[in-house]
Amino acid sequence: MSVNRYALIGAILLLAASLSAAVPIVGTWALTSVDPDGNPIRATLTVTEDGGRLAGGVTVEDMALGMTYPAMSGDTFTCKVTHEGHAYDVKLKVSGDSIEGAWESPGNRKGAIKGKRTRS
């Protein structure tokens, strides 16, 4: 293999690593929260990235919820999750394969969220 080919392969691998690091939320996450009545909520968050745009969804107890306005700023991910016609604000801090933050309902109810990445 020529030196140019090694350089090209190295550049591609470096680019792929930097893109992955630039969007740390990308992957599948197992989340745990508590509803306003104190009942545990288990959810799955999936986030993808395509051409610089984030997309994804949230599943709670086999029910797919709508997710809009996904955004990543530094290590903080924000989005809105729709359930029964109400949009909940979600703000999560990503630290490696851990995530922590909170949700807030239109009626100012709040809850903590914690999770772990299950798949990149």
Side-chain angles (χ1 to χ4, degrees), residues 57-107:
V58 177
T59 304
V60 177
E61 298 177 9
D62 298 324
M63 179 176 30
L65 306 180
M67 184 172 78
T68 56
Y69 308 110
M72 192 78 202
S73 179
D75 63 356
T76 302
F77 173 74
T78 58
C79 69
K80 291 191 179 287
V81 175
T82 305
H83 176 61
E84 296 180 350
H86 301 285
Y88 293 77
D89 292 316
V90 176
K91 185 175 183 179
L92 302 168
K93 183 176 179 182
V94 180
S95 178
D97 288 334
S98 296
I99 197 165
E100 192 169 338
W103 57 266
E104 185 174 346
S105 74

Side-chain angles (χ1 to χ4, degrees), residues 26-75:
V26 171
T28 302
W29 301 81
L31 305 179
T32 304
S33 187
V34 177
D35 72 13
D37 298 322
N39 300 310
I41 301 170
R42 303 231 189 286
T44 301
L45 168 67
T46 303
V47 181
T48 60
E49 186 270 335
D50 185 22
R53 296 184 63 139
L54 294 177
V58 177
T59 304
V60 177
E61 298 177 9
D62 298 324
M63 179 176 30
L65 306 180
M67 184 172 78
T68 56
Y69 308 110
M72 192 78 202
S73 179
D75 63 356

Side-chain angles (χ1 to χ4, degrees), residues 12-32:
I12 290 170
L13 291 174
L14 242 163
L15 177 62
S18 69
L19 287 174
S20 174
V23 188
I25 189 67
V26 171
T28 302
W29 301 81
L31 305 179
T32 304

